[in-house]
Amino acid sequence: MKKKKADYTHLSANQPIGIFDSGVGGLTVAKEIKRLLPNEDLIYFGDTKHLPYGEKSREAIVGYCTKITEFLLEKNCKAIVIACNSATANALQEVQELVADRVPVIDVINPVAEKVSYEIHNNVGVIATKATVNSGLYKKSIRKHNKFIKVDELATPLLVPAIEEGFKNHPITHSIIYNYLSNSKLKNIETLILGCTHYPLLIDEIKQYYGNRVRVIDSPNIVASQLKIILDKHNLLNEENHQSTYQFFLSDITKNFEKISKKFFGKSIDLELKVL
Ligand code: DGL
């Protein structure tokens, strides 16, 4: 049976957009949304108390994600952006079922997989958390559109704790990157997907490792563009030129979150503690 087309006429353009991740990773997506859609109000939930999601069971991730989604719906969000690959890979279906077409849900894997499958014609590598790699969702989604692409996925679990510790441009992070990227699984790749929203925070170091040999995909930009297309399609883009608001809720307030969120969104933002 054909799925009924979602009807969002009950929503209005001036409602905020809800975004969530386990920690600072989703800020890479939120920052891109702010750049592309400067008139939108954003509500961000960082589940810092439960990170890393990449090490958790599917059941645990589903539990966290459904609670956060309920919270964002209560906050009157007009769209939910799952700015986390581990959450997408393990809980997308449950989040969609909970939302039940009340608002659009945008994830971080499907738009990237679709774009890559049309634009790339060579070997693709994916680095991601264990929870994402174990789901095999990148390979499945890319192969759904293009059966000829070879996809190699590698779990790179030490990167998230290093990023959450604020170890950017740090010898420890450099040696983790070197160790992972020199893995034989990634030997023949020509394109690399950063399959975790934390990793763009290390994009310079990752690009440095490869020089010009490998194209590194900018997922936050693809996700923000997809959000724009969907909001536009349903007349939900906020065209009003106003001072946009950015609200941040965290299940545990961490120094690194404070630092990166203020760097991306300005010093005047507040972080509110919210345990779900
Ligand atoms: N940023 C997340 C992702 O995209 C989650 C990292 C984690 O909490 O392990 O997978």
Side-chain angles (χ1 to χ4, degrees):
M1 204 169 66
K2 222 176 151 201
K3 200 174 171 273
K4 219 173 106 222
K5 208 169 146 249
D7 173 10
Y8 299 122
T9 46
H10 58 286
L11 298 172
S12 71
N14 60 8
Q15 289 175 240
I17 295 165
I19 305 167
F20 74 89
D21 177 47
S22 60
V24 295
L27 290 172
T28 62
V29 178
K31 178 184 164 217
E32 204 48 32
I33 294 174
K34 172 179 173 258
R35 193 186 66 80
L36 212 64
L37 303 169
N39 294 332
E40 301 292 342
D41 297 331
L42 308 180
I43 300 183
Y44 187 97
F45 191 95
D47 197 5
T48 31
K49 190 175 168 218
H50 295 125
L51 83 100
Y53 277 10
E55 300 294 309
K56 301 287 189 302
S57 67
R58 204 184 94 76
E59 291 71 24
I61 298 173
V62 168
Y64 306 143
C65 295
T66 46
K67 278 200 183 133
I68 298 168
T69 302
E70 271 164 9
F71 173 74
L72 294 173
L73 289 174
E74 276 163 28
K75 287 278 170 199
N76 201 26
C77 291
K78 66 178 173 187
I80 308 273
V81 180
I82 308 178
C84 173
N85 290 264
S86 312
T88 299
N90 290 276
L92 175 61
Q93 198 186 331
E94 285 79 358
V95 168
Q96 277 169 337
E97 277 164 18
L98 174 72
V99 168
D101 281 345
R102 280 176 284 171
V103 302
V105 175
I106 290 87
D107 72 270
V108 283
I109 295 184
N110 287 299
V112 176
E114 191 172 343
K115 195 169 163 75
V116 163
S117 63
Y118 291 124
E119 287 183 6
I120 308 285
H121 305 287
N122 51 33
N123 294 344
V124 173
V126 180
I127 54 170
T129 67
K130 283 185 209 158
T132 300
V133 169
N134 290 343
S135 77
L137 189 59
Y138 267 104
K139 194 178 269 180
K140 261 183 254 156
S141 310
I142 294 174
R143 294 288 197 87
K144 192 172 85 189
H145 301 287
N146 185 339
K147 279 201 274 302
F148 301 102
I149 297 184
K150 186 167 177 295
V151 183
D152 288 307
E153 298 175 86
L154 180 72
T156 49
L158 291 176
L159 289 174
V160 169
I163 292 164
E164 288 286 341
E165 277 304 313
F167 282 1
K168 192 174 159 56
N169 288 322
H170 193 286
I172 291 183
T173 315
H174 290 160
S175 102
I176 297 173
I177 290 176
Y178 180 83
N179 257 281
Y180 284 143
L181 298 187
S182 57
N183 188 297
S184 59
K185 260 197 173 174
L186 301 177
K187 210 170 96 201
N188 295 320
I189 62 163
E190 287 144 300
T191 300
L192 180 72
I193 297 177
L194 305 184
C196 171
T197 53
H198 278 70
Y199 300 173
L201 290 162
L202 297 178
I203 196 160
D204 295 337
E205 280 105 316
I206 292 170
K207 281 188 173 166
Q208 220 166 45
Y209 172 87
Y210 284 117
N212 288 331
R213 275 179 298 135
V214 167
R215 175 173 164 191
V216 180
I217 299 290
D218 178 9
S219 303
N221 177 267
I222 298 171
V223 175
S225 305
Q226 173 74 3
L227 171 67
K228 186 175 180 187
I229 291 168
I230 291 178
L231 292 179
D232 193 21
K233 181 170 157 203
H234 296 285
N235 293 320
L236 287 172
L237 277 179
N238 195 347
E239 313 281 2
E240 201 183 304
N241 198 350
H242 70 299
Q243 187 65 46
S244 302
T245 61
Y246 305 117
Q247 279 178 279
F248 294 86
F249 295 91
L250 295 179
S251 51
D252 186 23
I253 296 184
T254 63
K255 276 266 159 293
N256 191 43
F257 193 98
E258 200 167 352
K259 189 175 141 204
I260 298 178
S261 56
K262 288 193 190 256
K263 185 172 155 206
F264 288 175
F265 286 87
K267 289 210 164 30
S268 61
I269 58 156
D270 287 323
L271 307 180
E272 220 173 292
L273 184 66
K274 181 82 201 168
V275 182
L276 297 176

